Amino acid sequence: MMTRNEMIEQLQAQVCRVVFKKINGEERDMSCTLMETVLPKAKKDEPLTQKKVRAINEATIVAWDVNKDDFRSFRVENVVSFS
């Protein structure tokens, strides 16, 4: 199986199909990416708000779901297939 960093490199280069087991045991098939040309632009005109800053969780990857038009995350250890 690929490492977290290898998955991130692939996601930054293209749209990938990730099949993984959700926390509730359900299997999810997601087309996602981290390509800058696909990610939504930052909205500079919105007022700044205080948000909780979290440490990067090395067990998960957050990516843009191209079908849901939203960010989704998955646990690296729960990935069934990555292509």
Side-chain angles (χ1 to χ4, degrees):
M1 184 49 71
M2 298 173 77
T3 67
R4 179 179 189 272
N5 288 338
E6 289 169 334
M7 289 181 194
I8 290 172
E9 283 177 21
Q10 289 291 315
L11 288 164
Q12 289 171 334
Q14 62 195 10
V15 174
C16 299
R17 181 176 177 216
V18 183
V19 178
F20 61 95
K21 290 232 186 256
K22 293 171 48 174
I23 298 295
N24 67 5
E26 215 177 290
E27 198 167 274
R28 171 106 151 73
D29 188 338
M30 176 171 70
S31 294
C32 57
T33 189
L34 288 173
M35 292 171 32
E36 287 188 30
T37 56
V38 177
L39 295 178
K41 303 285 182 243
K43 297 175 185 163
K44 294 181 181 178
D45 57 337
E46 288 185 359
L48 295 175
T49 58
Q50 182 74 27
K51 293 202 175 190
K52 182 178 179 182
V53 177
R54 298 184 209 175
I56 293 174
N57 183 346
E58 294 293 328
T60 64
I61 295 176
V62 177
W64 183 257
D65 184 325
V66 296
N67 296 318
K68 299 212 184 257
D69 284 334
D70 204 1
F71 284 101
R72 297 287 191 258
S73 63
F74 57 91
R75 291 178 132 337
V76 175
E77 67 186 16
N78 293 347
V79 172
V80 175
S81 72
F82 188 98
S83 55

